Amino acid sequence: MADVQIGPSIRAQLGKASPVIGRFEAMILLGFVIGKPREYLIAHDEAELTEDQILQFDMLVDMRAAGTPVPYLTGSQEFFGRHFHVTDAVLIPRPDTEVLVEQALLVVAGNPKVLDLGTGSGCIGITLALEIPGAQVTATDASEAALEIARGNAAELAAKVEFREGFWWDALVPNSQFDLIVSNPPYIRPDDDHLRNLEYEPLQALTDGINGLECLQAIADGAIAHLTPGGWLLLEHGYDQGAEVRAMLEQAGFAAVRTKKDYGGNDRVTMGRRAK
């Protein structure tokens, strides 16, 4: 039997790729290749693609089938209604992290000084800068490659953010204080099975290589000194770390310690306030 020939139309290419990576992701990748939204692909599925477009699409489908996440292939990920540029130098922003932003917006008022520790793509700090127009936002990261991505995102989204390089508190000007400190630090245990599914993302942004709690502990221990009276610390953490992070914050002297669940019903963000 002769080989079945795949035509150059949008419908044919989606039909070829969908059994390999699923129709949803196939549409994202093909839309990226031809610079058109999903609605266009549906309404113009008989439109023909160029040979170069087909070759590029095939390459992306092969890379996705091999495990490369879609946001690294397209260079973009949506977060809090905005698109952020991402590469494998930074974590891919996830919906659960939006819970951290939502809670931050609930506890701050006025024109706060905000610190985003370990900013990565900048999605948290930049979002807070845009959602709170009067905020003074500082964002830090130990990776210069990550900071380059974050600076580019801030420029693209017209967000005013000061970026500083360094490990946690070492990145700051001595004695600096903030009304709000937020962080999504590495918190996955090195023996966690989930880590194997994240092999394309930067390992140093996922795990401390020890027990998943070292970075959370370092931030909790130093936060009081860098918070104004009444200021808040918000930490994203693993689904099974809520009790341990609450204990960290209480031991560090925080008041009003509580944990907020994510959209899947798992403990995700623990917060505490410096007493006045």
Side-chain angles (χ1 to χ4, degrees):
M1 181 182 295
D3 292 338
V4 176
Q5 297 298 309
I6 299 296
S9 70
I10 287 174
R11 178 190 297 175
Q13 293 302 309
L14 289 176
K16 177 182 65 173
S18 294
V20 181
I21 62 173
R23 184 171 177 82
F24 178 74
E25 291 189 348
M27 293 186 80
I28 292 176
L29 294 180
L30 186 54
F32 169 70
V33 168
I34 68 175
K36 299 291 185 181
R38 178 174 179 269
E39 293 75 14
Y40 177 91
L41 302 183
I42 295 172
H44 301 85
D45 65 349
E46 291 299 329
E48 293 192 353
L49 305 175
T50 68
E51 183 177 347
D52 285 346
Q53 288 172 333
I54 293 172
L55 288 173
Q56 184 182 0
F57 180 58
D58 286 345
M59 178 187 69
L60 293 177
V61 170
D62 287 344
M63 293 176 69
R64 178 64 191 120
T68 304
V70 169
Y72 288 159
L73 296 175
T74 64
S76 179
Q77 175 68 16
E78 185 176 348
F79 181 83
F80 221 80
R82 301 178 179 91
H83 287 277
F84 287 79
H85 175 56
V86 293
T87 72
D88 59 7
V90 298
L91 290 182
I92 298 168
R94 288 170 168 79
D96 287 341
T97 301
E98 294 187 4
V99 176
L100 178 65
V101 173
E102 292 168 352
Q103 293 303 302
L105 294 175
L106 290 175
V107 299
V108 295
N111 301 319
K113 294 182 67 177
V114 179
L115 173 64
D116 175 19
L117 286 170
T119 195
S121 67
C123 64
I124 298 172
I126 291 170
T127 298
L128 291 174
L130 294 171
E131 294 293 321
I132 314 170
Q136 302 175 55
V137 180
T138 300
T140 75
D141 206 286
S143 166
E144 176 56 36
L147 286 174
E148 183 178 351
I149 298 297
R151 291 190 189 101
N153 281 325
E156 181 69 23
L157 293 168
K160 186 176 180 181
V161 179
E162 178 188 0
F163 294 99
R164 301 185 64 86
E165 183 179 358
F167 286 97
W168 307 132
W169 308 112
D170 294 341
L172 301 180
V173 174
N175 302 317
S176 55
Q177 288 192 313
F178 302 87
D179 304 301
L180 171 68
I181 299 173
V182 295
S183 184
N184 176 19
Y187 57 72
I188 301 178
R189 296 190 313 274
D191 61 347
D192 193 314
D193 289 341
H194 292 91
L195 205 57
R196 288 199 293 269
N197 298 323
L198 302 170
E199 61 179 313
Y200 288 86
E201 299 188 60
L203 185 64
Q204 70 275 13
L206 293 166
T207 179
D208 56 22
I210 303 172
N211 60 6
L213 297 169
E214 289 296 303
C215 296
L216 289 160
Q217 186 71 65
I219 295 171
D221 288 345
I224 288 282
H226 291 284
L227 279 169
T228 58
W232 285 87
L233 170 67
L234 279 71
L235 294 172
E236 180 173 339
H237 52 72
Y239 70 96
D240 58 351
Q241 295 173 326
E244 291 166 301
V245 179
R246 287 194 297 275
M248 288 180 191
L249 267 58
E250 289 168 353
Q251 186 174 6
F254 282 91
V257 174
R258 61 181 184 267
T259 299
K260 178 69 176 178
K261 294 185 182 297
D262 61 25
Y263 306 124
N266 299 307
D267 285 356
R268 187 59 60 190
V269 176
T270 293
M271 63 193 79
R273 179 177 56 83
R274 175 182 170 179
K276 294 184 179 180

